[in-house]
Amino acid sequence: MALPGAPAPAPAAAPVPPPPPTVLMAVRAGLARPSRLPPLPAAAALRLHLSVEPAAGGQRRFRLGLRQPEAAGGANVAEYDLKDISYKVRSPTCHELTVLGSSDEPMVFNFEEEREAQKWWTIVSSSLREVQKASDSTLASQASSLPAAAGGVSADQDPEAALSLELSEKEDLALHLAQAIEYGDEEVASQCAVALARQQATLSILLKESNYPTDDISMKVGVEDATSSASITIRVRAHTTIATLKQQVFQDYGFHPLVQRWIIGQCLCVDERTVSSYGIRKDGDTAFLYLLSAKMAELTEQRYEEDQAQVMLSSTSSLTDAAGERRKYNTLPNMSPKKGWGNEAGRKMDIGEISQHLDTLQIGDLFSAQPKPAATSLPSPVPAGWSCPKCTFINKPTRPGCEMCSTDRPEDYVVPGSYKPDETELWRMQQEQEGILQYQQALEAERLKNFQQLLQLEEEVLVPNREVLECRICYQRVAPGEGVLLRECLHNFCRECLRQVINYSEEPEVACPFRDDSYACSSHLQEREIRALVSPEEYRRFLERSLVLAERRSQNSFHCKTTDCRGWCIYEDSVNEFRCPICQALNCLLCKAIHEGKNCRQYQDDLQVQAQNDSAARQTNDMLQTLVQIGEAMHCPTCLIIVQKKDGCDWIRCTVCQTEICWVTKGPRWGPGGPGDTSGGCRCNVNGQRCHPRCQNCH
């Protein structure tokens, strides 16, 4: 009963229900040896599930349960604490569970898929290790708390107790050293440091988070591997270490810390240092993350899955730990709380998209049984070599491109003469030379193949079109193979239009018919193209037109005087007769007539006689006299026949009397004494003077 005037007692607070257990993994398995379990269906199929729940003292309790399948009601068959069982792997698809301290036979589980069994064993084995570590720590704590008078041995007699006391003293000294430094007590700090140095204690001295700014930093990260790249933004704090950053990327994106290489400010980052020590101090500061292949990082698939399971367990612990205490037992490095991690507002790619994009990188599918190269030590923060202008990574002097982002080496960089490549670089250079040789061989093979294709194409008379085209003459659709590609200009037309162009051409060279508002093609059809496009009769008429046009345009052409004969020739100055190859008639080029059996004088005398009664002969005689009057013909000074200079120099010879004649003076070339007699004739070049103002000085 409450005293008078005393306040009424407060109502009792309702007990907080414990959080439900978290299922880490569930898998189906067949029970081959059921032991003393309750009766099961004929199929004897079970659903194994591993769960974890908080326990007293900040620890966790792992339980392995056996349930019936959902089709059979999903009832709970049995449940065991991991510390009370022994779990072994008998084969890739067969596991064995034994209850410790029980006389029952072991339970044997058969899995359908080997990969599913391996994942289940990874989670179970990690949980078993956690349970074992927690148990060992509890036993050690209990043993150290027992007083020596309670039947235990003294520290002087028990080596383990002595070791524990020594560690306790070192911890006290380290704690006093930290406090002395924090309070600025130089004397005490010096004494603690000397004592620790005498005991050769291994220390890890880190600044507390309170020494750093508390604001979040939006750090821009460029992520690349040998084939792909992406950009993300990560929110970090100044005290975030590189190891913590690697763990966060592993948890968010699935890239193991072993394959991560962080480069900030021209330095290859080490795990113990913070991002602020590398210059990440404000929003927008950049970092570079290069992802190695799993083979190069010597990362096995089993190691990856075990570490991934540990990350999952640590995440579960942070969610189920209501007091927010730090997890005590973990095989992976501790991770900082996940505060504000993610992408900036307005980013186009979220975490899922980035993860899906980076799945194409090399680490996803390079777990193979191939032998792994020997591990190489990481380069020092400032090794000798050239700095990449893009990602700032320091590369070896002989590398032609950046090892991280494949950017070309600066053109002005000169490899030091004293530099000696190591074995790895020599192997890379050898591989590079072999790659260049293989490329040159492939290029040469490709050139040879192209050359053979050109030769094959050259042997074809017409080059057909490979694609559908529109003829630029008739504007009709032309199917593949029905058009023609002209060799000289590569213009396409249909066959019928080109045939009409050839038939109506007035030139011996048929021009390409391509025309538009700003361009007219100046190329011509080849002779074999013309012959293939028209019929034999059309090709014959085309040749005849070409011959007529060629005769008309030639200056020294002479047509045979036989009626309706098509023979003609192009004569030279030293030739005075032309025998027609068609009618076999002998044409006199001087008289421009046919007078076989007569010389030119006899023909001209007969022509004068016939001119009195024969109109044709009279016309020929009048024509010769006209030529004399206009200066295109002359009378021989010796025999008086009419001679004509066809072309060439001013020296001619009479075909009848063989007199040498000077054409410009219309007289004999030499004096009475014959050739060389300059007492008469035209006296050309005597005393350096020409014989006539129009003399060409050629005789």
Side-chain angles (χ1 to χ4, degrees):
M1 177 179 296
L3 296 175
V16 179
T22 302
V23 177
L24 300 179
M25 186 176 180
V27 64
R28 294 184 59 186
L31 185 59
R33 193 179 302 171
S35 184
R36 296 183 180 180
L37 293 179
L40 298 176
L46 291 176
R47 185 171 183 85
L48 309 180
H49 67 96
L50 181 66
S51 61
V52 61
E53 58 185 357
Q59 299 184 6
R60 289 175 294 174
R61 183 183 182 187
F62 294 88
R63 299 186 67 83
L64 190 152
L66 282 67
R67 292 184 180 182
Q68 293 183 355
E70 298 295 337
N76 192 11
V77 178
E79 192 172 24
Y80 304 98
D81 198 315
L82 284 192
K83 64 184 180 62
D84 298 331
I85 65 171
S86 171
Y87 198 91
K88 299 180 181 180
V89 176
R90 297 178 59 183
S91 69
T93 59
C94 182
H95 295 179
E96 182 181 88
L97 185 150
T98 303
V99 180
L100 300 177
S102 174
S103 60
D104 295 342
E105 295 183 1
M107 287 178 281
V108 179
F109 304 107
N110 292 326
F111 297 86
E112 296 180 357
E113 296 183 2
E114 179 180 345
R115 186 173 185 84
E116 190 175 34
Q118 183 178 2
K119 289 184 177 179
W120 169 255
W121 166 246
T122 300
I123 299 297
V124 172
S125 61
S126 300
S127 303
L128 288 172
R129 284 196 296 270
E130 291 290 329
V131 171
Q132 183 64 31
K133 289 182 180 180
S135 177
D136 295 343
S137 177
T138 302
L139 293 176
S141 175
Q142 294 176 354
S144 61
S145 63
L146 293 177
V153 293
S154 63
D156 296 335
Q157 298 176 359
D158 191 353
E160 294 184 1
L163 178 60
S164 177
L165 180 60
E166 182 182 355
L167 290 176
S168 178
E169 293 177 354
K170 291 181 180 179
E171 291 178 357
D172 291 340
L173 287 173
L175 180 60
H176 292 159
L177 174 62
Q179 293 176 349
I181 294 176
E182 183 177 358
Y183 296 142
D185 192 341
E186 298 180 3
E187 182 178 356
V188 175
S190 176
Q191 293 175 359
C192 294
V194 171
L196 289 171
R198 290 174 179 174
Q199 298 183 30
Q200 297 182 350
T202 303
L203 301 180
S204 176
I205 303 176
L206 298 175
L207 296 177
K208 292 185 178 180
E209 296 181 4
S210 58
N211 292 279
Y212 298 91
T214 58
D215 298 335
D216 290 345
I217 302 173
S218 295
M219 182 177 66
K220 295 183 178 180
V221 181
V223 187
E224 288 191 14
D225 77 339
T227 59
S228 305
S229 63
S231 297
I232 60 176
T233 299
I234 298 179
R235 298 191 67 82
V236 298
R237 289 190 175 183
H239 60 77
T240 302
T241 63
I242 300 301
T244 304
L245 190 59
K246 289 182 177 181
Q247 286 293 334
Q248 188 63 39
V249 171
F250 184 30
Q251 181 175 350
D252 291 344
Y253 299 103
F255 297 113
H256 197 277
L258 290 179
V259 304
Q260 300 181 37
R261 293 294 183 270
W262 286 89
I263 302 172
I264 305 177
Q266 298 187 359
C267 294
L268 185 63
C269 304
V270 295
D271 292 347
E272 294 78 12
R273 294 180 59 178
T274 61
V275 294
S276 62
S277 66
Y278 288 109
I280 303 298
R281 299 184 178 89
K282 63 181 183 303
D283 292 346
D285 287 345
T286 59
F288 184 82
L289 172 60
Y290 186 80
L291 300 175
L292 302 178
S293 64
K295 181 174 67 174
M296 183 177 297
E298 295 189 355
L299 175 62
T300 62
E301 187 173 8
Q302 181 180 1
R303 169 73 179 278
Y304 179 83
E305 293 182 353
E306 290 178 355
D307 291 350
Q308 194 174 38
Q310 291 285 7
V311 170
M312 181 163 46
L313 291 175
S314 63
S315 301
T316 304
S317 174
S318 63
L319 292 175
T320 58
D321 192 356
E325 295 183 356
R326 185 177 180 180
R327 180 166 56 87
K328 297 182 178 180
Y329 310 107
N330 194 357
T331 57
L332 291 180
N334 294 329
M335 294 169 20
S336 61
K338 187 176 180 181
K339 299 180 180 179
W341 286 65
N343 296 337
E344 288 182 334
R347 282 191 45 78
K348 296 182 179 179
M349 302 177 66
D350 57 15
I351 291 179
E353 293 172 343
I354 288 292
S355 181
Q356 181 180 3
H357 173 74
L358 293 179
D359 282 342
T360 61
L361 303 182
Q362 293 182 351
I363 70 166
D365 55 355
L366 287 182
F367 297 112
S368 62
Q370 298 179 356
K372 299 176 176 56
T376 57
S377 60
L378 295 177
S380 59
V382 187
W386 55 274
S387 174
C388 176
K390 182 178 180 181
C391 69
T392 71
F393 182 74
I394 306 299
N395 295 273
K396 295 181 180 179
T398 52
R399 282 197 67 89
C402 180
E403 184 177 1
M404 295 299 169
C405 64
S406 301
T407 302
D408 292 338
R409 183 176 61 190
E411 297 181 357
D412 56 350
Y413 179 78
V414 179
V415 179
S418 59
Y419 175 73
K420 294 182 179 180
D422 54 16
E423 294 182 0
T424 304
E425 185 66 9
L426 289 175
W427 179 83
R428 186 201 62 78
M429 295 170 64
Q430 180 181 0
Q431 294 296 316
E432 180 181 357
Q433 294 295 331
E434 294 178 357
I436 293 175
L437 179 60
Q438 293 177 1
Y439 170 76
Q440 293 176 348
Q441 293 175 352
L443 185 62
E444 187 64 26
E446 184 69 17
R447 289 176 178 174
L448 180 60
K449 179 180 178 181
N450 294 337
F451 178 70
Q452 292 175 351
Q453 292 179 352
L454 288 176
L455 290 180
Q456 182 180 0
L457 189 63
E458 183 66 22
E459 294 177 355
E460 298 182 5
V461 179
L462 293 177
V463 181
N465 61 311
R466 304 295 183 183
E467 300 177 352
V468 178
L469 62 92
E470 183 184 53
C471 180
R472 295 301 298 270
I473 300 177
C474 63
Y475 295 99
Q476 296 294 323
R477 176 186 173 92
V478 182
E482 297 182 2
V484 176
L485 176 69
L486 300 182
R487 295 177 182 271
E488 290 193 5
C489 57
L490 304 181
H491 288 136
N492 292 275
F493 303 95
C494 66
R495 294 173 180 262
E496 182 61 25
C497 289
L498 287 177
R499 189 179 70 84
Q500 295 297 335
V501 169
I502 296 172
N503 289 334
Y504 289 97
S505 175
E506 297 181 355
E507 297 292 332
E509 291 185 339
V510 182
C512 172
F514 181 84
R515 301 287 187 278
D516 59 15
D517 297 336
S518 59
Y519 172 72
C521 184
S522 59
S523 301
H524 297 85
L525 276 71
Q526 295 184 1
E527 183 67 23
R528 55 177 172 176
E529 293 176 332
I530 296 174
R531 185 167 58 250
L533 286 169
V534 298
S535 63
E537 180 63 23
E538 291 172 339
Y539 183 67
R540 184 185 62 80
R541 291 198 299 266
F542 170 76
L543 292 180
E544 291 179 355
R545 293 196 307 271
S546 301
L547 288 174
V548 171
L549 186 61
E551 179 185 358
R552 188 184 308 127
R553 293 180 178 179
S554 300
Q555 296 181 355
N556 298 332
S557 64
F558 177 82
H559 198 92
C560 179
K561 295 302 180 180
T562 303
T563 305
D564 298 331
C565 182
R566 297 180 179 179
W568 65 283
C569 72
I570 298 177
Y571 58 82
E572 298 178 356
D573 185 43
S574 59
V575 178
N576 295 325
E577 294 179 342
F578 159 59
R579 184 171 294 279
C580 178
I582 298 178
C583 66
Q584 302 301 319
L586 184 62
N587 293 263
C588 179
L589 300 180
L590 297 176
C591 299
K592 301 293 191 294
I594 299 175
H595 53 78
E596 293 188 63
K598 301 179 183 178
N599 56 28
C600 295
R601 181 173 183 176
Q602 293 173 345
Y603 168 73
Q604 294 178 17
D605 291 342
D606 293 343
L607 191 62
Q608 293 179 359
V609 175
Q610 295 175 4
Q612 300 176 359
N613 300 321
D614 189 351
S615 59
R618 187 165 51 252
Q619 291 178 358
T620 303
N621 185 60
D622 293 342
M623 182 269 294
L624 292 175
Q625 296 300 327
T626 302
L627 292 175
V628 173
Q629 292 175 3
I630 63 178
E632 293 185 3
M634 62 171 290
H635 291 280
C636 177
T638 302
C639 63
L640 301 179
I641 69 166
I642 297 177
V643 295
Q644 182 181 9
K645 183 171 80 78
K646 301 185 294 296
D647 199 5
C649 64
D650 295 332
W651 176 91
I652 63 175
R653 185 191 298 272
C654 178
T655 58
V656 177
C657 63
Q658 304 299 318
T659 300
E660 297 184 32
I661 303 171
C662 178
W663 176 257
V664 292
T665 61
K666 299 295 190 290
R669 171 67 180 88
W670 307 108
D677 183 6
T678 58
S679 60
C682 67
R683 296 176 57 83
C684 187
N685 283 331
V686 175
N687 298 326
Q689 295 182 357
R690 297 183 179 181
C691 61
H692 194 272
R694 292 185 297 173
C695 177
Q696 301 181 20
N697 194 26
C698 58
H699 64 285

